[in-house]
Amino acid sequence: MKRIGYCVLLSIGLVVGCATSIGQASAGEEGYHIERETLRKPRPLKVQVLRVDLESPETEVAVVMADDPDGDEPAESVLMAPAELAKMGRLKVAVNAHPWGMIPVAPKEQKPMYDLGGFCDVAGLVVTDGKVRSEQSDASWSLWQDEGRIWHLGTVPSGSQLRQAVSGFGPILEEGQVMVRPCDILHPRTAVGLDKQSRQLIFVVVDGRQPGVSEGMSEYELAEYMKSLGCWNVLNLDGGGSSILVKGANPRILNTPSGGGVARPVPVMIGLRRQNYH
């Protein structure tokens, strides 16, 4: 794997930074490219950028969700270690996706316990290989693949037959326009963007809550940053301690999660696998 370094200049004041390639392959081989960016202004930031070539003949984007632990009861999934969940779905590179709520719900004064194997209710639409694992709760945005294997970002039309789908907190970039206002709320972030031609998916994982190392972005900064990467539409996925990027047959973590580098268990991931692996 070739390693390269270069400097980048963004238009939103998040500059100047350096980018290093940490994983790359041509469309005929792996169909993805990973870069790590270190930004110095307006604060220290470490960002992972995963670019996926949707026209690759070897690789497909897929969603994996942990098993339903109680059938028709309220829980839809359990929490799994991200590396194990990615491995279960045979994803060679993957990021976290959905927000969720624990079952039973913790009292307001108590911080939720994100324990391995904990039962949870996943927020929003999840489709894995044509099977709906979690229903769409409203008309919010999703990232989905239709029957023709075309990827879309936006509201899923009623009656659509889907192959894969994930949801998140909502759009932060729509048709090139930033949909959120500037603010000073900084967190680790995970988001996915689609270019205007629907040829490339761009996943971004921003480390945060690490003073002097990587302090996080606001939603507005994230939207502007992803616009600078060529995104036309962007969906904000789950962030905070869940933000993670893993890679490999025996997945290793490429970013630094905010919980002291310890990965939080999650119920859903999205990533790349070989075409027709099953």
Side-chain angles (χ1 to χ4, degrees):
M1 179 178 65
K2 184 180 179 182
R3 297 180 62 88
I4 57 174
Y6 53 89
C7 290
V8 295
L9 180 64
L10 307 180
S11 61
I12 57 176
L14 287 173
V15 280
V16 168
C18 291
T20 302
S21 173
I22 58 174
Q24 62 178 28
S26 68
E29 297 169 354
E30 299 292 341
Y32 73 92
H33 180 87
I34 303 173
E35 294 172 359
R36 177 187 292 125
E37 289 196 334
T38 301
L39 307 179
R40 305 188 186 103
K41 295 181 180 180
R43 69 193 71 88
L45 286 165
K46 291 187 181 298
V47 184
Q48 315 282 333
V49 180
L50 167 62
R51 293 181 180 269
V52 178
D53 179 5
L54 295 175
E55 298 178 335
S56 169
E58 299 294 331
T59 298
E60 62 182 356
V61 178
V63 177
V64 59
M65 180 170 167
D67 292 338
D68 184 339
D70 60 3
D72 294 332
E73 297 302 314
E76 294 178 310
S77 183
V78 297
L79 300 184
M80 288 183 64
E84 290 304 310
L85 187 54
K87 191 174 181 179
M88 184 181 83
R90 300 188 184 183
L91 303 179
K92 55 189 176 182
V93 58
V95 304
N96 65 292
H98 280 253
W100 73 89
M102 298 302 298
I103 296 177
V105 178
K108 290 183 179 179
E109 66 276 7
Q110 179 180 322
K111 186 176 180 180
M113 298 298 293
Y114 301 117
D115 293 330
L116 284 171
F119 289 17
C120 65
D121 178 23
V122 176
L125 180 67
V126 183
V127 181
T128 65
D129 294 325
K131 182 179 180 180
V132 178
R133 293 289 313 278
S134 178
E135 297 284 351
Q136 184 74 42
S137 56
D138 52 32
S140 62
W141 268 32
S142 298
L143 169 69
W144 84 94
Q145 186 187 46
D146 63 26
E147 286 186 299
R149 297 179 179 263
I150 304 301
W151 283 91
H152 308 266
L153 255 177
T155 302
V156 179
S158 178
S160 297
Q161 297 297 311
L162 310 180
R163 298 189 72 254
Q164 311 284 348
V166 294
S167 299
F169 285 113
I172 57 175
L173 189 72
E174 183 174 2
E175 296 185 348
Q177 300 298 311
V178 175
M179 303 300 292
V180 287
R181 295 181 178 180
C183 71
D184 58 1
I185 300 175
L186 308 178
H187 289 298
R189 305 281 183 183
T190 301
V192 58
L194 187 64
D195 70 353
K196 192 173 183 178
Q197 293 75 32
S198 297
R199 294 175 180 171
Q200 188 177 80
L201 279 177
I202 301 173
F203 296 91
V204 167
V205 176
V206 182
D207 287 343
R209 301 174 186 167
Q210 300 167 44
V213 178
S214 188
E215 299 178 4
M217 282 186 185
S218 69
E219 288 184 337
Y220 180 85
E221 289 172 335
L222 181 61
E224 288 278 19
Y225 178 77
M226 295 192 72
K227 183 177 180 179
S228 77
L229 297 177
C231 296
W232 185 241
N233 291 306
V234 174
L235 175 65
N236 188 25
L237 299 173
D238 195 20
S242 302
S243 289
I244 196 164
L245 171 65
V246 299
K247 177 180 182 289
N250 293 301
R252 61 188 179 93
I253 300 171
L254 297 185
N255 70 310
T256 305
S258 64
V262 178
R264 175 183 292 175
V266 297
V268 184
M269 298 193 80
I270 182 170
L272 281 76
R273 70 185 182 199
R274 294 199 177 277
Q275 288 270 18
N276 302 316
Y277 81 100
H278 50 77

